[in-house]
């Protein structure tokens, strides 16, 4: 049986439809795939990943996968991946890729190490990648809109207006994510019910939740999604119905390169152990069962899937970043690391405010109220500017210097200078952060903090080194989900 597959684009809430359609059969699709050149797979497994110190996950920006809320990186897939990388002592990096097809290509090219798209395991996909043990079992459901006046209708009247039997999809158009497993499922369903379902693919960059939103807004009538994702979105859009199952429970897993046997083994072992722990179910419930929290996020202006703001202080941060010649998202990342955007935050050592100013630093830069956001950012920025000028003679490269400045903001410039002197003494590059940070860590060892070139003594160097990597990791996430251009400034300069 033949099915028609169209293509459409979603641009600014509008849809542009192609003027022609293509008839597809399973044999024709196989012929097209056979004509494709063989995909090269990079040789990159767990040992090399451990040696470089980080693992890259290919993800999309969704309300369950990966997003930012009030400056904090969140998501079901993200939290699981973070727990896995933490167990290996690795940094987690994110490669945001909305297109599934592009994600598969990036994985095999080595631009990422794990595909984390809430992927359904299919035979077709197993030809290109290896799947981990499943971390969830979930049905696919039909996402459809309730009648416009559904709030005034009785339950049985609403039910009568909805598709409950898949047979009633014959002759209907169902819009689905490009290159998704929903296409195969609908094609199989069409065979099973003995009639055509017209399957229309979204353009590659359109994610499942964007198509769901189009159903809610009345642009299209039907789509398909995994039930857990559909139920979360039904919280946002109460006019949606997601109760009609169109499949048995399917396995949801992550994908890795077919030659990454070590990574696959480590993931499978971790997933099986993790599913025995309460933490897994806490994470799952947090994103798929906590409806009130999900609704609160989606209504917030500080939600990366719609709000467009990182914090209430974005304009202040942008003005301050210009003084430093920094990307404003980098300064925002540092402020989040310092205080979580809480102007009343106070540390156990007495640092206070958004930028956690100590009394001496506040006095030096004439900050009267450390809990005042404007004054805190002004004072913190002034101190960062002083550090930039101070380290200019040590580190000519501005990108490298920024790392030294961040470390010095955390631990004090004297300890960083000690590490620079040790680095130079032992023949490494004193202007390269990757070299200097090793000697900053060694300053907790008496053989090094008692060295004659050291002036400031003992330092728990792992803390500023971790601080720098954490700020840069947050910065990368902010870069992925927030535009680089400044938002409209509504506040005067600090």
């Amino acid at each position: 049986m033949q099915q028609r597959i169209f293509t459409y684009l979603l641009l600014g809430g509008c849809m542009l439809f192609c003027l022609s359609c293509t008839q597809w059969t399973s044999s024709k699709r196989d012929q097209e795939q056979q004509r494709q050149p063989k995909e090269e797979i990079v040789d990159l497994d767990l040992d090399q990943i451990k040696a470089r110190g980080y693992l890259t996950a290919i993800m999309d920006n969704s309300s369950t996968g990966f997003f930012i809320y009030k400056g904090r990186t969140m998501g079901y897939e993200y939290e699981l991946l973070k727990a896995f990388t933490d167990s290996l002592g690795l940094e987690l990096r994110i490669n945001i890729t909305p297109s599934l097809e592009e994600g598969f290509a990036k994985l095999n090219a080595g631009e990422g190490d794990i595909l984390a798209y809430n992927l359904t395991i299919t035979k077709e996909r197993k030809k290109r990648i290896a799947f981990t043990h499943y971390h969830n079992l979930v049905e696919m459901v039909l996402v459809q809109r309730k009648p416009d006046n559904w709030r005034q209708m009785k339950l049985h009247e609403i039910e009568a207006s909805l598709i409950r039997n898949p047979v009633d999809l014959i002759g209907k158009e169902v819009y689905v994510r490009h290159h998704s497993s929903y296409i195969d499922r609908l094609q199989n369903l069409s065979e099973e019910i003995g009639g055509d379902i017209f399957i229309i693919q979204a353009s590659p960059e359109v994610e499942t939740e964007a198509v769901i939103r189009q159903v809610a807004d009345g642009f299209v009538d039907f789509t398909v999604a995994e039930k857990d994702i559909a139920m979360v979105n039904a919280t946002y859009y109460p006019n949606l119905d997601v109760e009609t199952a169109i499949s048995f429970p399917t396995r949801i897993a992550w994908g890795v390169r077919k030659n990454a046997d070590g990574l696959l083994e480590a993931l499978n072992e971790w997933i099986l152990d993790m599913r025995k722990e309460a933490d897994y179910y806490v994470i799952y419930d947090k994103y798929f069962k906590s409806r009130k929290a999900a609704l609160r996020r989606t209504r917030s202006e500080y939600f990366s899937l719609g709000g467009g703001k990182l914090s209430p202080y974005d304009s202040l941060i942008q003005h301050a970043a210009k003084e430093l010649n920094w990307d404003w998202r980098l300064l925002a990342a540092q402020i989040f690391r310092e205080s979580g955007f809480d102007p009343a935050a106070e540390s156990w050592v007495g640092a206070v405010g958004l930028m956690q100013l100590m009394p001496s630093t506040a006095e030096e830069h004439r900050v009267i109220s450390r809990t005042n956001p404007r004054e805190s950012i002004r004072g913190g920025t002034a101190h960062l500017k002083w550090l930039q000028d101070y380290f200019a003679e040590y580190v000519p490269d501005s990108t490298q210097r920024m790392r030294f400045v961040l470390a010095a903001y955390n631990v004090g410039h004297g300890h960083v200078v000690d590490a620079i002197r040790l680095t130079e003494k032992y023949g490494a590059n004193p202007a390269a952060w990757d070299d200097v940070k090793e000697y900053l860590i060694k300053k907790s060892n008496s053989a090094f903090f008692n060295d004659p070139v050291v002036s400031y003594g003992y330092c728990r160097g792992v803390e500023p080194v971790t601080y720098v990597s954490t700020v840069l990791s947050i910065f990368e996430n902010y870069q992925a989900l927030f535009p680089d251009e400044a938002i409209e400034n509504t506040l005067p300069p600090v």
Side-chain angles (χ1 to χ4, degrees):
M1 171 116 23
Q2 294 181 334
Q3 282 79 40
R4 298 176 182 175
I5 301 181
F6 297 77
T7 314
Y8 74 88
L9 299 172
L10 298 178
L11 297 173
C14 301
M15 276 187 276
L16 304 175
F17 293 88
C18 64
L19 299 177
S20 62
C21 60
T22 306
Q23 297 284 345
W24 284 80
T25 64
S26 296
S27 61
K28 186 169 183 178
R29 181 176 60 188
D30 291 341
Q31 291 170 8
E32 289 290 331
Q33 291 173 345
Q34 289 170 7
R35 285 198 290 266
Q36 296 292 326
K38 187 175 181 180
E39 190 170 32
E40 295 293 331
I41 303 177
V42 71
D43 186 12
L44 178 61
D45 203 354
L46 185 59
D47 286 343
Q48 295 104 306
I49 292 169
K50 285 183 174 179
R52 74 187 184 194
Y54 66 88
L55 178 144
T56 301
I58 300 170
M59 307 180 72
D60 58 9
N61 179 22
S62 68
S63 65
T64 56
F66 174 75
F67 61 89
I68 290 171
Y69 175 61
K70 293 186 176 180
R72 187 177 302 279
T73 305
M74 299 180 68
Y76 166 71
E77 305 275 1
Y78 173 81
E79 288 204 28
L80 290 181
L81 287 165
K82 190 70 171 64
F84 172 67
T85 52
D86 285 350
S87 73
L88 296 178
L90 294 172
E91 176 191 346
L92 174 62
R93 297 185 180 180
I94 307 298
N95 185 322
I96 294 295
T97 308
S99 165
L100 282 170
E101 176 58 31
E102 186 180 354
F104 276 74
K106 282 185 174 182
L107 177 71
N108 285 327
E111 295 179 47
D113 305 301
I114 296 179
L115 271 181
Y117 278 120
N118 208 54
L119 285 174
T120 301
I121 300 175
T122 68
K123 288 183 178 179
E124 203 61 44
R125 288 173 173 173
K126 287 170 74 174
K127 295 176 183 177
R128 295 183 68 184
I129 64 173
F131 281 97
T132 65
H133 187 79
Y134 69 89
H135 57 80
N136 199 7
L137 285 170
V138 64
E139 300 171 325
M140 292 183 191
V141 297
L142 183 70
V143 179
Q144 56 187 318
R145 197 170 49 260
K146 298 173 186 175
D148 291 341
N149 62 336
W150 65 276
R151 292 185 186 277
Q152 285 74 49
M153 297 172 66
K154 295 180 180 178
L155 182 60
H156 72 275
E157 293 173 328
I158 297 173
E159 283 291 311
S161 70
L162 299 171
I163 288 180
R164 289 291 181 239
N165 189 330
V167 171
D168 294 330
L169 285 173
I170 293 174
K172 299 292 194 301
E173 295 178 344
V174 181
Y175 295 74
V176 294
R177 184 176 188 173
H178 189 273
H179 198 67
S180 64
S181 58
Y182 312 142
I183 297 168
D184 289 337
R185 178 59 203 137
L186 287 170
Q187 287 174 335
N188 290 335
L189 181 61
S190 188
E191 295 284 353
E192 293 163 12
I193 63 179
D196 283 339
I197 300 172
F198 298 106
I199 308 164
I200 306 178
Q201 291 194 73
S203 59
E205 70 276 8
V206 175
E207 299 156 339
T208 298
E209 290 190 323
V211 186
I212 292 175
R213 186 165 59 250
Q214 293 298 312
V215 177
D217 291 343
F219 289 103
V220 300
D221 291 327
F222 306 103
T223 190
V224 171
E226 284 78 15
K227 187 170 184 177
D228 49 9
I229 292 176
M231 290 180 68
V232 169
N233 279 268
T235 301
Y236 308 154
Y237 311 111
N239 65 329
L240 292 181
D241 178 89
V242 297
E243 297 301 323
T244 301
I246 63 165
S247 77
F248 292 109
T250 57
R251 294 175 296 166
I252 305 298
W254 294 329
V256 300
R257 286 177 289 275
K258 296 187 79 171
N259 59 0
D261 296 334
L263 177 58
L264 182 63
E265 182 180 354
L267 277 164
N268 282 338
E269 182 178 343
W270 181 83
I271 289 169
L272 290 172
D273 288 342
M274 180 68 171
R275 292 191 64 195
K276 298 175 185 176
E277 302 292 330
D279 286 352
Y280 166 77
Y281 299 95
V282 170
I283 293 171
Y284 183 86
D285 290 351
K286 177 179 178 180
Y287 292 101
F288 294 110
K289 292 189 177 180
S290 182
R291 303 291 182 83
K292 290 183 178 179
L295 190 59
R296 186 166 57 249
R297 286 194 296 268
T298 195
R299 289 176 174 173
S300 171
E301 60 183 331
Y302 308 115
F303 185 43
S304 63
L305 288 169
K309 292 184 179 180
L310 265 171
S311 76
Y313 315 107
D314 286 0
S315 291
L316 288 171
I317 294 169
Q318 287 171 12
H319 281 298
K322 290 178 182 177
E323 294 292 315
L324 298 166
N325 198 27
W326 279 13
D327 186 313
W328 76 276
R329 295 165 297 183
L330 173 60
L331 183 57
Q334 185 192 10
I335 293 173
F336 181 80
R337 170 61 181 79
E338 288 288 346
S339 63
F341 296 132
D342 178 5
E346 183 172 357
S347 76
W348 66 275
V349 295
V352 172
L354 286 177
M355 297 198 71
Q356 290 291 278
L357 300 179
M358 293 293 288
S360 58
T361 307
E363 183 179 358
E364 181 180 355
H365 297 292
R366 299 178 181 178
V367 172
I368 297 172
S369 173
R370 290 183 288 163
T371 59
N372 181 291
R374 185 186 300 276
E375 289 200 54
S376 181
I377 292 174
R378 178 182 60 77
T381 301
H383 188 55
L384 287 168
K385 184 69 169 59
W386 183 86
L387 290 170
Q388 278 195 143
D389 294 340
Y390 181 87
F391 282 102
E393 66 174 286
Y394 293 98
V395 189
D397 181 80
S398 61
T399 301
Q400 286 292 316
R401 191 188 315 134
M402 172 265 293
R403 290 161 168 79
F404 287 75
V405 168
L406 288 172
Y409 192 94
N410 176 261
V411 77
H413 70 281
H415 289 299
V416 178
V417 172
D418 280 348
I420 289 173
R421 291 171 179 157
L422 286 168
T423 306
E424 188 171 26
K425 177 176 179 177
Y426 287 96
N429 185 354
W433 173 247
D434 283 346
D435 288 354
V436 173
K437 71 180 184 182
E438 298 302 322
Y439 287 92
L440 189 54
I441 292 172
K442 288 176 180 179
K443 278 199 68 191
S444 63
N445 184 318
S446 61
F448 290 92
F449 69 69
N450 287 324
D451 191 287
V453 302
V454 170
S455 300
Y456 288 82
Y458 172 85
C459 171
R460 184 174 168 79
V462 69
E463 291 182 1
V465 170
T466 302
Y467 177 88
V468 172
S469 64
T470 300
V471 170
L472 293 180
S473 178
I474 296 169
F475 173 45
E476 286 183 1
N477 292 338
Y478 288 178
Q479 283 180 301
L481 297 185
F482 288 88
D484 57 358
E485 67 271 12
I487 62 171
E488 181 181 355
N489 292 316
T490 57
L491 295 171
V494 293

